[in-house]
Amino acid sequence: MFKSVHFCSFGCKGPIKHPVKIADPWKYKELLNRIEAMFEHGPGANWTNQDFSQLSDNIYNTTGKRLSITTLKRIWGRAETKTNPSLTTLNILSEFALYQGWREFSLSVNTSERRQIKNGKREIFTKRSIIIGTAFILIVFLLLLTFTSSGKNGSSPMDYMQEDIVFVLDKVASGYPNTVIFEYDVGGLSYDSLFIQQSWDKNKRTSLKKRKGLVTTTYYYPGYFLAKLVVDSTTIKEEELYIPTRGWQGMLIGESSEFTYLRPDDILLDGKLHIGPGIFEQMNRAKRSEMFLSYLAERPEINGSDFAVETEFRMPDATERSICKNIRLTVTGTKEVLSFQFGIPGCVGDLMFFLNKEMVSGRDNDLSAFGIETDNWTKCKVKVKDDQVKVFLNDMLVYTYSLQSDIGKIGGVQWMFQGLAEIRALDIYDSANRMDLIGG
């Protein structure tokens, strides 16, 4: 009935791809200033998620090339991890500013400055710049001598060019479990510790023994993961990882994280989703405390900034070890998740949501509306629009939350039941697309 599996990871060697290095940060700042003036939404430091989404669309409409919301946030210093842009990104931004590319924009800035100097408008500024520049070169030279004489080789995470760091990943299969290949190269960077954090869970880390190489990790769950290359305590590169399912897939999870996969014919779809006979009894005998079910599309199409999820669910029987009878619904995007938990009324203080990459706890938030009679059918609607998440239970608005991060395209949902699962409706839709995951 079940297939038992165990987690493993290992390392080996492989080819490394090196990105392009860029320079001239003051010209880069000038380019961003011109784009802000063209966009007419004020300073980028004040832009909302919707502003970044609109800028992404404007760039695509002008150039025919797409820069993601996450990339634009990193460019304007609004993301958790700040990295220098690649030459490809600079070319797209320059095209949007009506230049052929970064080279033409860079040369145009140089030409403009020369004309100003000839007209005598910046003569004093130029003299001061020469003095300041000379002093700066001397300071840098002295610092380099001091750094070299200290006997420490290489650079620190803060002063090493991001474009010299390589961190890429590739999936080897479809669905889950799935092995992911990480290639990395930290160049001449100095460090005391180097590792890959495989997801938001800080306990899931792979220590790296070499400066560059290849390491693989097997993911036994589907979903969205933000993998990070971490030097000492600094995240220097991030890669988004989305692992879909092959239709509906499920597993039974024990209290010590042991799990067994459900077979495809254990998950029944006949007007509602439910589990085949005998599974719940075996779940109790095997001391499996939770039932995990998931459907994540291979190629998500639902717009994560304006969509809705409508479903009806219940848990007619809880496991022998379940006291609060918890149920978790996780709406999964290619860049982020929205996760909500339900339980009996007496346990609402222990409920936990996961929104904006942070935990929202029932211990310091009023989540009492999510206390339900789990063996009765509950109608739930999650709606996202204008950076607001609204949750309706049995047609009543019970919860509102402001989003600050891009969800990406919605791939589907993940469920966790502390007992027997039943779902009789599940629709995910935007203005152009609809996913009916139950049918009937």
Side-chain angles (χ1 to χ4, degrees), residues 6-224:
H6 303 279
F7 178 84
C8 68
S9 64
F10 55 93
C12 56
K13 297 181 179 180
I16 299 296
K17 300 177 182 179
H18 294 276
V20 178
K21 182 177 180 179
I22 59 99
D24 298 321
W26 67 272
K27 295 180 183 178
Y28 171 50
K29 179 62 177 176
E30 176 63 22
L31 177 58
L32 298 190
N33 289 339
R34 295 193 187 186
I35 291 175
E36 287 181 358
M38 293 172 60
F39 192 42
E40 297 183 338
H41 281 224
N46 300 327
W47 289 350
T48 65
N49 196 66
Q50 190 65 34
D51 291 327
F52 283 107
S53 178
Q54 183 177 338
L55 178 58
S56 176
D57 291 338
N58 289 358
I59 291 173
Y60 179 77
N61 292 335
T62 301
T63 69
K65 301 167 186 176
R66 175 74 70 179
L67 291 178
S68 70
I69 296 174
T70 300
T71 297
L72 292 174
K73 284 186 175 181
R74 287 173 178 164
I75 289 170
W76 264 270
R78 297 288 300 281
E80 178 182 351
T81 300
K82 298 179 182 179
T83 61
N84 291 323
S86 66
L87 183 57
T88 299
T89 298
L90 287 171
N91 284 333
I92 295 174
L93 292 172
S94 300
E95 288 180 40
F96 179 67
L98 305 181
Y99 291 85
Q100 291 185 359
W102 170 249
R103 179 177 176 81
E104 181 181 328
F105 173 80
S106 181
L107 291 174
S108 74
V109 174
N110 285 339
T111 301
S112 175
E113 286 210 343
R114 283 196 296 270
R115 287 172 180 170
Q116 290 179 12
I117 293 171
K118 287 180 180 180
N119 292 333
K121 294 181 180 180
R122 298 185 65 184
E123 183 177 357
I124 296 175
F125 173 79
T126 303
K127 290 180 179 178
R128 289 178 178 175
S129 297
I130 293 172
I131 296 171
I132 293 172
T134 303
F136 177 77
I137 292 172
L138 288 173
I139 292 171
V140 171
F141 179 73
L142 291 174
L143 287 174
L144 287 174
L145 286 177
T146 302
F147 185 77
T148 304
S149 64
S150 68
K152 184 176 180 65
N153 297 320
S155 307
S156 71
M158 300 306 295
D159 61 22
Y160 200 76
M161 287 295 294
Q162 288 287 340
E163 302 304 2
D164 290 335
I165 305 296
V166 175
F167 184 52
V168 295
L169 60 84
D170 188 27
K171 296 177 290 187
V172 303
S174 60
Y176 78 94
N178 205 326
T179 295
V180 178
I181 300 173
F182 295 95
E183 295 181 45
Y184 70 94
D185 185 352
V186 297
L189 192 62
S190 293
Y191 58 87
D192 294 321
S193 65
L194 177 65
F195 57 86
I196 293 174
Q197 186 171 311
Q198 300 161 18
S199 72
W200 60 269
D201 185 350
K202 293 184 178 180
N203 294 321
K204 295 182 178 178
R205 293 181 171 182
T206 299
S207 180
L208 304 174
K209 305 301 182 183
K210 299 179 180 180
R211 291 185 168 276
K212 66 178 180 179
L214 180 150
V215 65
T216 69
T217 298
T218 301
Y219 286 74
Y220 289 98
Y221 289 83
Y224 161 81

Side-chain angles (χ1 to χ4, degrees), residues 350-366:
D350 291 330
L351 297 181
M352 297 290 289
F353 294 176
F354 191 72
L355 304 166
N356 286 333
K357 295 184 173 67
E358 295 180 347
M359 289 293 185
V360 177
S361 172
R363 297 187 179 184
D364 49 16
N365 292 273
D366 183 4

Side-chain angles (χ1 to χ4, degrees), residues 407-433:
I407 305 174
K409 298 292 186 180
I410 303 302
V413 295
Q414 300 175 78
W415 291 90
M416 194 77 78
F417 290 81
Q418 289 185 341
L420 195 58
E422 289 189 4
I423 307 168
R424 68 181 182 188
L426 181 52
D427 294 287
I428 309 174
Y429 57 90
D430 60 14
S431 60
N433 303 284

